[in-house]
Amino acid sequence: MKNTIRQVILLFIFVAAAFQGRAQTATTPAADEAEQQLVQQISADMCRRLEVENQKQPLDKLSKTEAEQLFARIFLQSASSNDQLAALLVSMGNEGAREKGQQLGRQVGVVLMRECQVGQRLLMRLGSEQLSQQQALRPEETKVLRPIAAAMCRDLQPRVAELNKLPLAQRMPTLTQTFEKVLTPYAKQLNQLYGSDIFLNSASMEQLGIKISTLMAPQCPEVVLLFADLDKAGK
């Protein structure tokens, strides 16, 4: 289940922010520290801009296209107004700038997920819409899985503050126990949908977890993020 949650978070970050690629650049400790400061600066600036936009019009009222355009515009505004980033990208040439932009964009997405509530909800909503399309949930699946996702949110949301104080490894048993408890009343319907061996097939259970997490994300993003290792997701 831990790998499932991490996979979902990675997809949210990449799909919603439209930062593809995993180019890695060797850096010295000093360069790495400077890069992290740069990421924090851009993330903080983006969060401020998103909060202003949210005051003008609640971001959860935007269409998918409007939300994507807003996020892209805010990122470009923040990046272009940062002299340090501009100088860095110019010094690298076109190809190097593209790869560095992807790398920094992924890290910025992670920081926004972790530290910016407005950005978190926007990314999760965008990602969940795209993931729902990729998962191609059939109407009969949605009918069964949506109540499961809602039950997971109801069970875990009141415990967010409590669980957030624990290390990730200590949170995972709670997720697994809740998942098993919530699925039990729907066992017959899940067997009918996915076959009688659904609970014995780890690959099928992982796919089921992704579908349920995708449906949970717009309802309780803070719950999904509780079980994500965002430090690893940004690397």
Side-chain angles (χ1 to χ4, degrees), residues 17 21 60 64 69 72 137 147 164 186-187 200 202 219:
D60 57 4
K64 179 176 179 292
Q69 291 174 346
L137 287 175
N164 200 39
Y186 296 89
L200 303 176
S202 59
Q219 302 179 54

Side-chain angles (χ1 to χ4, degrees), residues 4-233:
T4 298
I5 292 293
R6 186 182 173 204
Q7 183 178 354
V8 170
I9 293 297
L10 284 169
L11 287 169
F12 283 145
I13 294 170
F14 295 150
V15 171
F19 297 126
Q20 298 294 336
R22 293 174 173 273
Q24 298 294 325
T25 304
T27 58
T28 64
D32 185 64
E33 182 178 350
E35 184 175 294
Q36 289 306 309
Q37 292 177 352
L38 183 58
V39 166
Q40 287 294 147
Q41 291 170 9
I42 296 172
S43 303
D45 186 63
M46 285 188 68
C47 190
R48 286 192 293 270
R49 292 174 188 268
L50 287 171
E51 287 171 347
V52 170
E53 294 294 331
N54 189 55
Q55 291 174 358
K56 296 177 183 176
Q57 178 181 3
L59 300 188
D60 57 4
K61 302 298 184 183
L62 298 178
S63 68
K64 179 176 179 292
T65 299
E66 291 171 335
E68 289 174 342
Q69 291 174 346
L70 172 65
F71 196 90
R73 174 167 60 83
I74 293 298
F75 178 78
L76 289 174
Q77 288 175 347
S78 295
S80 62
S81 65
N82 189 296
D83 294 337
Q84 182 182 351
L85 176 59
L88 175 64
L89 297 180
V90 168
S91 70
M92 291 183 168
N94 290 338
E95 184 61 24
R98 183 184 67 82
E99 293 183 354
K100 176 57 69 173
Q102 290 173 343
Q103 182 185 18
L104 291 175
R106 184 168 63 252
Q107 294 175 23
V108 167
V110 169
V111 174
L112 286 174
M113 282 283 210
R114 185 168 51 211
E115 300 179 5
C116 179
Q117 186 174 14
V118 173
Q120 176 192 104
R121 288 189 171 274
L122 185 64
L123 278 167
M124 294 288 271
R125 188 167 65 82
L126 285 174
S128 65
E129 288 187 21
Q130 184 65 36
L131 279 172
S132 294
Q133 294 174 10
Q134 291 180 7
Q135 293 298 319
L137 287 175
R138 294 169 285 152
E140 58 268 31
E141 285 185 288
T142 303
K143 183 178 179 180
V144 174
L145 299 186
R146 195 177 296 281
I148 294 175
M152 290 284 290
C153 286
R154 283 197 304 271
D155 190 293
L156 292 169
Q157 207 159 19
R159 293 187 274 169
V160 167
E162 172 192 347
L163 291 169
N164 200 39
K165 297 175 183 177
L166 301 176
L168 179 61
Q170 294 181 27
R171 299 176 201 165
M172 294 312 298
T174 301
L175 175 64
T176 302
Q177 292 164 10
T178 304
F179 191 62
E180 292 173 352
K181 180 181 71 175
V182 169
L183 287 186
T184 300
Y186 296 89
K188 182 178 179 179
Q189 292 165 281
L190 292 170
N191 283 332
Q192 291 173 342
L193 272 175
Y194 301 113
S196 57
D197 66 340
I198 176 66
F199 294 104
L200 303 176
N201 188 313
S202 59
S204 296
M205 285 298 290
E206 182 169 330
Q207 286 303 308
L208 178 62
I210 290 174
K211 290 176 180 180
I212 293 172
S213 298
T214 300
L215 293 172
M216 288 172 61
Q219 302 179 54
C220 56
E222 62 277 13
V223 169
V224 178
L225 289 174
L226 269 178
F227 303 98
D229 192 338
L230 290 178
D231 290 329
K232 289 184 178 179

